[in-house]
Amino acid sequence: MADNAIGFQTITEKYRQEVVDRLKVLEAEFDGAFSEAINLTKSKGYYYAMASILIFIGNAAGQRALYLQTLDVKDRATSEKATCRKALLAAKGIYSAFSDELGIANALFNLANQIRFLGEEKEAMGLARDTLKVAEKYDNHRLKQRAEC
């Protein structure tokens, strides 16, 4: 995009392709690692750990959606945004099964934090307000500080 804006190429095509190829390798590696972690926690019944991993997955997908949206790769950005939402809501579901209000609020805050950068500011603000109420209820300073930003 910068090259187009200034009218000449600032990096070689070879270098750009090397970066793209490296990003694909990294993406495959962390997809594999996330899958392995989910399978391990599921087989051992470590559901709290699974919820934490789902939060990492959701946040990673949200970040990918953001850069893909910036690069105007709309289909992939939409897919990553859906993965983000699905993973974070799955984490919320696990915390809900254990009646863990702080866990639920944390998962929803992470969702709010991701979607606000993806054009859903109104929903994000509502989720952040709900998170703040729970943080105040439990006097959780860290979550309160995050939700106030």
Side-chain angles (χ1 to χ4, degrees), residues 101 131-140:
E101 266 189 291
T131 298
L132 187 56
K133 289 176 191 173
V134 174
E136 288 172 344
K137 176 180 176 181
Y138 290 95
D139 198 31
N140 187 303

Side-chain angles (χ1 to χ4, degrees), residues 74-140:
K74 293 178 180 156
D75 290 345
R76 281 281 316 278
T78 299
S79 174
E80 292 295 345
K81 183 177 173 182
T83 299
C84 169
R85 184 178 292 276
K86 183 177 177 182
L88 292 169
L89 291 176
K92 174 198 171 261
I94 291 170
Y95 290 125
S96 293
F98 291 101
S99 301
D100 181 345
E101 266 189 291
L102 279 171
I104 294 166
N106 184 52
L108 291 176
F109 173 75
N110 278 277
L111 177 60
N113 197 41
Q114 294 302 320
I115 65 174
R116 73 183 172 129
F117 294 112
L118 298 170
E120 298 184 29
E121 294 88 0
K122 187 175 180 180
E123 181 183 0
M125 291 304 296
L127 291 170
R129 278 191 297 275
D130 293 345
T131 298
L132 187 56
K133 289 176 191 173
V134 174
E136 288 172 344
K137 176 180 176 181
Y138 290 95
D139 198 31
N140 187 303

Side-chain angles (χ1 to χ4, degrees), residues 10-25:
T10 57
I11 62 171
T12 66
E13 180 57 29
K14 179 182 175 194
Y15 177 76
R16 188 194 72 74
Q17 191 57 51
E18 287 172 357
V19 170
V20 168
D21 291 344
R22 180 68 180 138
L23 287 172
K24 287 179 182 178
V25 168

